[in-house]
Amino acid sequence: MRTYLVVIDDSPEAALALRFAARRAARTGGGVIILAIIPPQDFVAFGGVQATIEAEAREHAEELVATAADAVMQEGVTPQNMIKSGKPAEVVREVIGASDEIAALVLATAASGAPGPLVAHFTGQDAGTLPCPVMLVPGGIDVARLDALS
C-alpha cells in the first residue's frame, strides 16, 4: 500500500502536510503514518525533574498524534500512529528504512523565512539520499488550493 509519512508538531505547516497526505491517501487508496518526535532533552541533574520533563513531552506528543489521527480519519483513512524519541532527522530516516510501504515523506515549508529543520535537512545536505520522494507543501498555500491539488 502507498503510505505517506507525515511528521507532526505544533506548527501550522505540519497541519498542511497532514491534510495533503490524508487527502492523497484517501484518493489513491493509500495510508498515512503520523510520526511525532520527542527531541532529546537537555540533561537535568535531578532525576525527578528529568522524568517529569520527559513525561510531559510524551503526553504532548500523544495529544498531537491523537488530534492528527482524528483529522486523517475525517478523510476516511485510518492512520498508523508513531511516537519516537531522538534527533528528528535520524528518527525519520529510521522509520523510512524500516518500512518498504512508505511512498513519500510529506513535509511543509514555513509560510515565510527558513523552511524548517527537516525540510532544510532532507532538501539540503541529505537531498537524494532517501529511498522515497520528499513531497513539499508550501506553508503559505491557501487551504482551498491545497484541497484542489490533493
Side-chain angles (χ1 to χ4, degrees), residues 4-118:
Y4 299 97
L5 174 62
V6 180
V7 180
I8 195 76
D9 59 19
D10 288 320
S11 68
E13 52 268 21
L16 286 172
L18 182 70
R19 184 178 185 99
F20 178 82
R23 292 177 58 85
R24 288 298 311 145
R27 277 137 193 84
T28 62
V32 175
I33 296 174
I34 300 169
L35 173 62
I37 301 172
I38 302 170
Q41 303 295 317
D42 293 330
F43 179 74
V44 178
F46 302 101
V49 173
Q50 182 74 28
T52 299
I53 291 170
E54 290 172 357
E56 288 174 353
R58 179 133 193 112
E59 183 178 309
H60 181 68
E62 289 170 354
E63 290 170 4
L64 285 172
V65 167
T67 300
D70 287 343
V72 172
M73 286 189 283
Q74 287 180 5
E75 295 295 333
V77 177
T78 302
Q80 180 182 351
N81 302 327
M82 291 184 176
I83 298 174
K84 301 239 180 219
S85 298
K87 295 179 181 177
E90 291 175 8
V91 171
V92 168
R93 186 173 294 288
E94 174 187 305
V95 169
I96 290 172
S99 175
D100 291 334
E101 291 187 2
I102 296 176
L105 170 62
V106 181
L107 300 172
T109 65
S112 63
L118 284 177

